[in-house]
């Protein structure tokens, strides 16, 4: 079983400041992700929440988010910079999950 808890807006502000990131989307877990992925891909307004999720599975915490990356930058590079920024803010045992939900 997985527990999900929102993170402070400071994390989102830090992500938005990363070069190549144009937006931050919510990161629901499980089947709840499917509508959100579709909404992010189409730019639907209902997917505009900007929270991150912390999940704990088998005692290992994961910080997860989805981003929109700029088309003028390489999406994997933007995702790596986001991961690096979050790693600077979290303890060493936290896993970071970044999904590029949109490129524009």
């Amino acid at each position: 079983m997985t527990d999900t808890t929102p993170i402070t807006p400071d994390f989102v502000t830090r992500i938005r400041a990363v070069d190549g990131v144009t937006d931050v989307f919510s990161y629901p877990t499980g089947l709840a992700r499917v509508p959100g992925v579709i909404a992010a891909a189409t730019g639907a307004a209902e997917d505009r929440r900007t929270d991150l999720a912390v999940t704990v599975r088998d005692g290992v915490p994961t910080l997860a988010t989805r981003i929109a990356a700029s088309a003028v930058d390489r999406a994997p590079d933007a995702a790596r910079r986001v991961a690096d920024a979050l790693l600077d803010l979290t303890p060493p045992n936290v896993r970071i999950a970044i999904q590029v939900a949109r490129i524009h």
Side-chain angles (χ1 to χ4, degrees):
M1 184 168 203
T2 303
D3 296 321
T4 303
T5 307
I7 297 297
T8 66
D10 297 337
F11 281 79
V12 174
T13 301
R14 180 79 178 256
I15 293 169
R16 286 185 187 278
V18 171
D19 287 339
V21 174
T22 59
D23 209 345
V24 181
F25 302 101
S26 64
Y27 199 100
T29 58
L31 288 177
R33 285 183 57 200
V34 175
V37 170
I38 293 168
T42 61
E46 62 270 10
D47 193 51
R48 306 307 280 177
R49 292 184 339 207
T50 56
D51 55 329
L52 283 72
V54 173
T55 57
V56 179
R57 186 168 291 171
D58 298 327
V60 179
T62 299
L63 177 61
T65 192
R66 296 184 302 137
I67 64 170
S70 170
V72 298
D73 195 3
R74 289 179 25 94
D77 293 342
R80 182 74 224 161
R81 288 189 296 267
V82 169
D84 289 342
L86 291 176
L87 285 169
D88 287 344
L89 298 172
T90 58
N93 67 327
V94 174
R95 291 182 184 162
I96 304 295
I98 308 297
Q99 180 185 55
V100 177
R102 190 169 192 194
I103 298 173
H104 60 89

